[in-house]
């Protein structure tokens, strides 16, 4: 583990100051559970001011919703404990399902509302007349904590979300620029996309959460739209890079060397893209675009190599335009405000839409497992008559809810058990050894500082964020600080046993109900992509261009991290970018075939039927089987038929068929009977033909 930076120390100190402020205010107001206010600070604490504000707002809303539900359900169902248990379980699982559907910071509302109900309702079932007071007190104390966290984060050296987003974008551009350099200067490198390059899609998909926090950052509210435009362009770059790599590989594998003027332009573009996040938005893009356009105008023949070269130039031009847009958008995001009207260089069509892929069945299964688990825990509490069973059920609900969206929750719940046990040890030490020997709030601050400052250092680190937050929250909660010292070892021990038993139950329940890992989810993602492509080729989703591309790239972002941790040979064959390119080409053929003559349109329809049948055969075989030679022959016949279309808009269809052939048969020989067709190249190639 690396040494904490000064930013980590600054965040930890700010979080501790906010926590102490919240505790002091709650004690001064004589609230019944002031430690809730302190714990709330560490729940919402984030190094970024905007992220803290958004999380604070959503935690407040979630807590209020859960508190209102408690006030309604407990008096109504307290005499029917089994029914109340079912209601609590269904409430938690339903809101958890909604939270998993929302990948923005807004999901925190539903997550908090989900487990706030058992946290407030279950401890009051023995005295239902107190549920309103408990709900009100928890709401007040939580709001005090989040207000203190937001104020301190915004006033003391605030860190802008926009600045951090700018750094992440620059880092992404560095990685993408390195890949571009490999493509443009590489000598016949394999056209398949390496896993480390596919991970770029996962990095872009992860920007959703950061972008959703921008509107809560006072200095970045004006650039939310620009950030969404940037995310779409970053995603669009990835299949274009993959397509360009494929075309250049095909050209370099041929008998003829690349024309010198093309090599020169490729090197110049490589120099510009190779600057990555250090690049500047300037006139370089315009100069490169003019040179590419000159090469396109000189490329009048339409033999196989000519079509492949023309397709490569079209992709190169689009990459240059998109890269220029990314640089200008990044600069405006870093500036924290809009600098005049932004005019995109890439204007062929809208960038990737906002559609996302959701595996509703898996999400419902995960939420359903939580529902049944909470119900089982409640019934065990009811029929065992366990006095501290409420703590057992609430910790089980929290543990199940926190990690429900993961493929393998068990390792994380195990870590939660260990860290919670550590926090209980710390709480025991404070309650029975340290607190009895001190007096005054100043001394309390002094003795709390060491452990909470250390825990605060771990929260900014992604690998320890959640568990460090749980350690801080559990530590504050288990100490259960009041305005006067009261400690009972038997009561503390019983509560500790209930808490650990609840987490242990969640672990066992998860191992029983979700024994599978990432492989099942990965295969479901792959098969969902095959289904999309089969239906698109069959014409079911012919007008679904942006939604389809958005879903495919979103699936890729979900799939890549899972591929890194599994050894399935069939899954290793999957190149997500090839599927994206193929989907774009299919959509272009669906759009353009109405412009063709009857013979060419019939030939294209035959190709589309073959593509649909191919992906349906993969779905039936449940593995990545190779396409048949019959499909390749069908594509070649389509090329010849469209080539005879002459003055109709056959060029876009030709380019789409070239892309389709390269995506499905990257190692096949060029069409043997290819006849150079039309010479009308006045129309630019649409981007959809990848």
């Amino acid at each position: 583990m690396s040494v904490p930076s000064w930013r980590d120390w600054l965040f930890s100190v700010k979080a501790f100051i906010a926590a102490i402020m919240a505790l002091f205010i709650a004690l001064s107001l004589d609230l019944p559970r002031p430690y809730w206010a302190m714990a709330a600070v560490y729940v919402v604490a984030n190094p970024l001011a905007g992220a803290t504000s958004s999380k604070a707002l959503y935690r407040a809303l979630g807590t209020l919703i859960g508190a209102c539900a408690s006030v309604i359900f407990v008096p109504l169902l307290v005499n029917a404990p089994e029914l109340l248990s079912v209601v609590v379980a269904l409430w938690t699982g339903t809101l958890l399902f909604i939270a998993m559907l929302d990948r923005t910071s807004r999901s925190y509302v539903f997550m908090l509302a989900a487990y706030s109900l058992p946290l407030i309702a279950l401890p009051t079932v023995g005295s239902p007349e107190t549920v309103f007071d408990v709900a009100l007190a928890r709401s007040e104390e939580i709001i005090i904590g989040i207000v203190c966290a937001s104020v301190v984060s915004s006033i003391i050296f605030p860190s802008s979300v926009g600045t951090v987003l700018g750094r992440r974008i620059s880092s992404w551009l560095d990685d993408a620029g390195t890949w571009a350099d490999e493509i443009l200067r590489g000598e016949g490198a394999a056209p398949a996309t390496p896993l480390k390059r596919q991970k770029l899609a996962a990095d872009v998909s992860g920007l959703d959460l950061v972008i959703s926090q921008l509107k809560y950052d006072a200095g970045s509210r004006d650039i939310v739209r620009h950030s969404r435009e940037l995310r779409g362009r970053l995603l669009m770059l990835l299949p274009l890079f993959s397509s360009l790599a494929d075309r250049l590989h095909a050209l370099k594998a041929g008998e003829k060397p690349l024309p010198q003027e093309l090599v020169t332009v490729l090197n110049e573009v490589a120099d510009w893209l190779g600057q990555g996040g250090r690049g500047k938005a300037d006139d370089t893009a315009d100069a490169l675009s003019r040179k590419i356009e000159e090469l396109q105008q000189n490329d009048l023949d339409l033999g196989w190599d000519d079509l492949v070269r023309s397709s490569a130039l079209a992709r190169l031009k689009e990459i240059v335009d998109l890269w220029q847009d990314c640089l200008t958008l990044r600069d405006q995001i870093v500036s924290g405000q809009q600098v005049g009207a932004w005019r995109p260089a890439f204007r062929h069509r809208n960038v990737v839409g906002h559609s996302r892929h959701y595996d509703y069945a898996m999400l419902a299964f995960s939420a359903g497992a939580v529902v049944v688990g909470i119900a089982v825990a409640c019934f065990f509490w009811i029929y065992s008559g366990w006095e501290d069973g409420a703590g057992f059920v609430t910790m089980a609900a929290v543990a199940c809810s926190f990690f429900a969206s993961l493929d393998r929750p068990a390792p994380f719940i195990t870590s939660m058990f260990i860290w919670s046990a550590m926090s209980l040890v710390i709480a025991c030490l404070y309650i029975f050894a340290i607190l009895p020997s001190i007096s005054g709030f100043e001394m309390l601050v002094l003795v709390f500082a060491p452990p909470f400052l250390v825990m605060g250092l771990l929260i900014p680190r992604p690998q320890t964020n959640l568990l460090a937050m749980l350690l801080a929250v559990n530590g504050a909660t288990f100490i259960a600080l009041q305005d006067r010292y009261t400690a009972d070892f038997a009561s503390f021990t019983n509560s500790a046993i209930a808490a650990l038993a609840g987490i242990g139950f969640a672990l066992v329940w998860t191992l029983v109900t979700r024994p599978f890992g990432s492989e099942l989810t990965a295969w479901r993602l792959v098969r969902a992509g095959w289904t999309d492509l089969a239906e698109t080729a069959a014409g079911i989703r012919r007008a679904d261009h942006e939604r389809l591309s958005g879903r495919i790239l979103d699936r890729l972002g979900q799939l890549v991290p899972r591929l890194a941790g599994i050894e399935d040979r069939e899954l290793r064959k999957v190149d997500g970018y090839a599927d994206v390119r193929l989907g774009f080409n299919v959509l272009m053929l669906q759009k353009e075939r109405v412009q063709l003559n009857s013979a060419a349109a019939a030939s294209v329809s035959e190709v589309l039927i073959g593509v649909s049948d191919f992906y349906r055969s993969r779905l039936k075989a449940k593995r990545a089987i190779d396409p048949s030679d019959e499909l390749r022959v069908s594509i070649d016949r389509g090329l010849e038929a469209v080539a005879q279309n002459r003055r109709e808009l056959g060029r876009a269809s030709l380019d789409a068929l070239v892309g389709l052939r390269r995506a499905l048969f990257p190692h096949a020989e060029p069409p043997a009977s290819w006849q150079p067709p039309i010479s009308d190249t006045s129309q630019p190639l649409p981007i959809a033909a990848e």
Side-chain angles (χ1 to χ4, degrees):
M1 183 177 293
S2 60
V3 177
S5 66
W6 67 268
R7 287 189 178 87
D8 295 334
W9 280 107
L10 176 62
F11 165 76
S12 183
V13 171
K14 288 167 60 177
F16 183 68
I17 291 172
I20 293 301
M21 283 177 54
L23 180 62
F24 180 80
I25 294 172
L27 287 170
S28 300
L29 296 177
D30 198 26
L31 295 177
R33 296 172 182 83
Y35 52 87
W36 276 355
M38 185 178 185
V41 171
Y42 284 98
V43 172
V44 301
N46 191 288
L48 306 178
T52 300
S53 299
S54 67
K55 202 172 182 182
L57 172 64
Y58 292 140
R59 177 170 176 79
L61 291 175
T63 300
L64 290 174
I65 293 172
C68 291
S70 301
V71 173
I72 294 172
F73 290 135
V74 171
L76 188 64
L77 303 173
V78 68
N79 293 322
E82 292 86 357
L83 182 57
L84 178 60
S85 300
V86 172
V87 168
V88 169
L90 287 173
W91 169 277
T92 304
T94 302
L95 288 176
L96 180 61
F97 177 78
I98 298 173
M100 290 188 290
L101 290 176
D102 192 333
R103 301 182 198 168
T104 69
S105 55
R106 187 175 54 242
S107 65
Y108 203 55
V109 173
F110 306 106
M111 175 69 78
L112 260 294
Y115 66 74
S116 288
L117 175 62
L119 279 172
I120 297 172
L122 297 183
T124 64
V125 293
S127 50
E129 69 279 359
T130 65
V131 65
F132 180 81
D133 294 333
V134 172
L136 178 63
R138 181 170 179 84
S139 300
E140 291 172 340
E141 288 149 359
I142 293 298
I143 290 173
I144 288 172
I146 63 180
V147 168
C148 289
S150 299
V151 169
V152 171
S153 179
S154 301
I155 293 178
I156 302 178
F157 302 109
S159 181
S160 170
V161 176
T163 301
V164 173
L165 179 59
R167 288 199 296 265
R168 289 184 61 177
I169 293 166
S170 293
S171 176
W172 190 94
L173 291 174
D174 286 338
D175 292 339
T178 302
W179 183 23
D181 189 79
E182 294 173 2
I183 293 171
L184 296 168
R185 301 186 199 273
E187 295 297 331
T193 308
L195 183 61
K196 66 177 182 179
R197 299 308 180 201
Q198 295 192 48
K199 288 181 180 178
L200 290 169
D203 295 338
V204 177
S205 298
L207 294 178
D208 273 338
L209 180 60
V210 180
I211 292 173
S212 71
Q213 296 165 345
L214 282 172
K215 60 183 177 181
Y216 301 97
D217 193 329
S220 303
R221 293 171 185 163
D222 292 338
I223 47 89
V224 174
R225 183 177 66 84
H226 283 13
S227 300
R228 289 172 180 156
E229 290 280 354
L230 175 62
R231 180 192 179 277
R233 279 163 170 75
L234 293 175
L235 278 174
M236 181 64 70
L237 274 170
L238 299 176
L240 290 176
F241 277 148
S242 176
S243 179
L244 179 61
D246 173 81
R247 303 303 188 272
L248 292 179
H249 171 78
L251 292 172
K252 292 175 181 179
E255 297 179 358
K256 298 180 181 179
L258 295 182
Q260 185 57 45
E261 59 271 20
L262 176 57
V263 174
T264 301
V265 171
L266 291 175
N267 288 333
E268 290 179 2
V269 175
D271 291 338
W272 185 54
L273 300 183
Q275 298 176 28
R278 297 173 287 105
K280 302 295 183 182
D282 52 26
D283 296 333
T284 304
D286 292 335
L288 292 172
S289 294
R290 286 193 295 270
K291 292 181 180 180
I292 295 170
E293 289 169 358
E294 290 175 2
L295 291 177
Q296 288 176 309
Q297 292 171 1
N298 295 332
D299 196 7
L300 299 179
D301 294 327
L302 284 176
W304 174 255
D305 287 346
D306 302 307
L307 280 178
V308 174
R309 183 167 59 252
S310 182
S311 180
L313 288 170
R315 303 294 86 78
L316 189 64
K317 172 67 166 59
E318 291 153 0
I319 288 171
V320 169
D321 289 343
L322 281 169
W323 195 270
Q324 174 76 350
D325 285 348
C326 290
L327 293 178
T328 56
L329 287 168
R330 180 210 56 191
D331 292 343
Q332 294 199 13
I333 288 171
V334 172
S335 72
Q337 59 184 353
Q338 293 187 19
V339 184
W342 177 71
R343 181 176 174 79
F346 179 82
R347 297 188 295 274
H348 298 282
R349 65 175 175 85
N350 292 333
V351 296
V352 175
H354 300 293
S355 295
R356 304 288 184 267
H357 170 77
Y358 299 100
D359 190 337
Y360 294 103
M362 284 299 295
L363 294 179
F365 178 81
S366 300
V370 174
V371 170
V372 178
I374 294 174
V376 169
C378 285
F379 293 152
F380 173 78
W381 171 32
I382 292 170
Y383 293 111
S384 68
W386 189 3
E387 184 177 352
D388 291 293
F392 162 76
V393 177
T394 54
M395 290 304 293
V398 170
C400 288
S401 299
F402 265 26
F403 307 107
S405 62
L406 302 177
D407 295 336
R408 298 181 64 240
F412 292 88
I413 298 177
T414 301
S415 297
M416 180 180 178
F417 182 91
I418 295 171
W419 285 57
S420 296
M422 291 174 57
S423 64
L424 281 167
V425 172
I426 294 172
C428 182
L429 177 65
Y430 269 81
I431 292 173
F432 299 106
I434 298 176
L435 294 182
S437 60
I438 67 169
S439 61
F441 191 77
E442 295 80 3
M443 287 299 299
L444 182 67
V445 173
L446 187 62
V447 298
F448 271 177
F452 282 96
L453 286 174
V454 171
M455 288 183 281
L457 291 174
L458 301 176
I459 292 178
R461 302 173 181 232
Q463 62 271 29
T464 58
N465 169 265
L466 183 58
L467 297 176
M469 182 268 291
L470 288 172
L471 182 58
V473 171
N474 287 338
T477 303
F478 291 146
I479 292 174
L481 191 68
Q482 304 284 346
D483 57 351
R484 60 187 60 85
Y485 177 77
T486 56
D488 180 76
F489 186 77
S491 177
F492 174 83
T493 302
N494 289 334
S495 298
I497 292 173
L500 292 179
I503 301 173
F505 170 81
L507 174 60
V508 173
W509 182 257
T510 300
L511 289 171
V512 171
T513 58
R514 299 181 62 183
F516 41 81
S518 300
E519 186 171 318
L520 174 62
T521 306
W523 267 118
R524 290 182 62 84
L525 287 167
V526 170
R527 285 195 286 268
W530 293 346
T531 301
D532 254 356
L533 291 172
E535 293 179 353
T536 303
I540 299 175
R541 297 179 175 179
R542 67 180 65 186
D544 202 16
H545 191 290
E546 291 184 19
R547 289 191 292 271
L548 174 67
S549 57
R551 285 195 302 273
I552 291 175
L553 285 170
D554 186 60
R555 270 194 297 267
L556 184 64
Q558 297 181 50
L559 178 62
V560 168
R562 293 176 169 94
L563 292 178
I566 58 181
E567 298 297 332
D568 190 289
R569 292 184 178 180
E570 290 296 319
L571 285 172
R572 292 287 180 174
K573 297 179 182 178
V574 175
D575 182 348
Y577 293 145
D579 285 345
V580 176
R581 291 157 35 206
L582 187 140
F584 286 166
N585 290 316
V586 166
L587 285 168
M588 178 54 68
L589 290 174
Q590 293 283 19
K591 175 184 175 182
E592 294 294 325
R593 65 174 171 171
V594 297
Q595 310 279 355
L596 304 174
N597 59 38
S598 57
S603 185
V604 167
S605 296
E606 181 185 347
V607 171
L608 293 173
I609 292 172
V611 172
S612 180
D613 290 343
F614 163 60
Y615 278 103
R616 293 187 192 281
S617 67
R618 279 191 166 186
L619 289 168
K620 185 177 180 180
K622 297 182 179 180
R623 62 188 182 90
I625 61 175
D626 295 326
S628 65
D629 284 339
E630 288 79 4
L631 179 55
R632 178 182 55 79
V633 172
S634 176
I635 294 173
D636 291 347
R637 285 199 299 264
L639 281 166
E640 293 189 34
V642 174
Q644 306 307 319
N645 204 61
R646 297 290 175 183
R647 283 176 293 277
E648 281 84 15
L649 299 177
R651 183 62 181 269
S653 297
L654 276 175
D655 194 52
L657 287 167
V658 170
L660 204 62
R661 195 181 195 277
R662 289 295 308 165
L664 291 171
F665 304 97
H667 305 295
E669 293 294 324
S673 58
W674 178 255
Q675 298 295 326
I678 59 178
S679 59
D680 179 11
T681 60
S682 59
Q683 297 296 325
L685 299 181
I687 184 175
E690 302 301 336

